[in-house]
Amino acid sequence: MRRALIAGNWKMNLDRAEAVALAAAIAERSGAAQEVDLAVFPPSVYLDAVRDAVRGSRLAYGAQNMCHQPNGAFTGEISAAMLVDLGCRYVILGHSERRHILGETNAEVNQKTIAALAAGLVPIVCVGELLAEREAGRTGEVIRQQFDGSLAGLSAEQTARLVIAYEPVWAIGTGKVATPQQAEAVHMDLRKILKDRYNATIADGVRILYGGSVKASNAAELLTQPNVDGALVGGASLKADEFLGIAAGVSRK
Ligand code: PGA
């Protein structure tokens, strides 16, 4: 039985006071969603403030990115150990904005995933096709390449500890959500890839989130798909009511 995870990616938004207020508002009401894991991903400079704001609640938090190296001369970077030090449980890796705007490669996502797991973080590894790739019928192939590249060399034990997020790039921040059938088809493919590479136990256990224009009004129909185990939410995670409304969609399963 996979426990649903609703993850809020705040991206490069909010100031410190707004981040604290949002985290506190979600934390305060997080007790209502007992059967769902909840996590928020503020800008890294606000992680300490968010830690204080959610203390004592069941709201977890994590970072939007990290460095693949443990320490050293990597100006501007943040290590996995630093995130652990701040109380992070999760880290988002290979988000499409990092892949397509900042040029992150599968090989880099792979190194980061290995480093995050070694530090005890739960990586949320993102994959997803561009609109042109979907229209060319290449969705399966692209997802497969990203999966193989980003998760190269991982043992079954390592893979069992991570989360995968399917985020079609054409659905991110566009208001154009994938249909439940489109999402479910890719999630099923990903689970089959997991089964072929490892075994049925790993495939059944790994959580696969959907991301791309999820909001409270469309969450329930996505989250009731058998292979959709939660959501990675951008824009709608910046409002406590919307975010918690998405989590409420899980209990209707
Ligand atoms: P969105 O972003 O919900 O604003 O489409 C999703 C994401 O980037 O994770």
Side-chain angles (χ1 to χ4, degrees):
M1 185 64 188
R2 297 181 296 270
R3 223 179 129 73
L5 168 63
I6 306 297
N9 175 8
W10 295 355
K11 308 191 180 182
M12 198 170 69
N13 291 301
L14 309 176
D15 63 20
R16 195 172 185 87
E18 289 166 340
V20 166
L22 179 57
I26 297 170
E28 196 183 317
R29 292 159 60 196
S30 60
Q34 284 297 334
E35 63 294 328
V36 186
D37 290 341
L38 296 174
V40 291
F41 296 78
S44 290
V45 290
Y46 303 142
L47 281 168
D48 61 339
V50 166
R51 171 192 57 197
D52 296 343
V54 308
R55 189 165 277 140
S57 80
R58 46 185 306 282
L59 178 60
Y61 55 91
Q64 300 170 15
N65 178 40
M66 53 164 257
C67 183
H68 63 291
Q69 290 287 346
N71 52 47
F74 298 97
T75 301
E77 293 290 324
I78 299 173
S79 72
M82 291 171 186
L83 298 180
V84 171
D85 203 15
L86 285 165
C88 290
R89 184 176 306 162
Y90 301 95
V91 61
I92 298 171
L93 296 176
H95 187 278
S96 77
E97 285 147 21
R98 297 208 58 85
R99 289 179 186 270
H100 296 292
I101 302 173
L102 298 159
E104 201 162 283
T105 63
N106 284 324
E108 285 164 346
V109 177
N110 185 231
Q111 284 184 299
K112 291 180 183 197
T113 303
I114 292 166
L117 287 166
L121 291 167
V122 176
I124 300 179
V125 180
C126 305
V127 296
E129 81 287 3
L130 297 165
L131 182 59
E133 291 166 340
R134 173 163 283 268
E135 286 176 347
R138 294 186 51 225
T139 300
E141 175 198 333
V142 169
I143 300 297
R144 176 87 209 204
Q145 275 168 5
Q146 290 179 338
F147 179 99
D148 285 346
S150 304
L151 305 184
L154 294 191
S155 66
E157 181 275 328
Q158 284 173 308
T159 302
R161 289 192 284 130
L162 56 76
V163 174
I164 296 172
Y166 168 55
E167 298 206 303
V169 180
W170 47 270
I172 295 178
T174 57
K176 207 176 157 200
V177 65
T179 65
Q181 293 71 28
Q182 284 173 324
E184 174 65 10
V186 175
H187 285 227
M188 267 173 62
D189 280 354
L190 282 164
R191 223 174 278 292
K192 180 159 186 325
I193 296 174
L194 283 165
K195 187 168 175 218
D196 291 347
R197 196 204 278 188
Y198 301 105
N199 54 53
T201 311
I202 299 292
D204 288 345
V206 171
R207 292 188 285 192
I208 307 177
L209 315 183
Y210 167 79
S213 297
V214 178
K215 48 191 181 181
S217 60
N218 63 24
E221 60 173 9
L222 287 158
L223 293 167
T224 44
Q225 296 302 308
N227 287 291
V228 178
D229 307 316
L232 180 52
V233 188
S237 73
L238 296 171
K239 294 195 183 100
D241 282 348
E242 274 290 316
F243 186 67
L244 291 161
I246 293 167
V250 173
S251 50
R252 278 173 239 153
K253 205 162 193 167

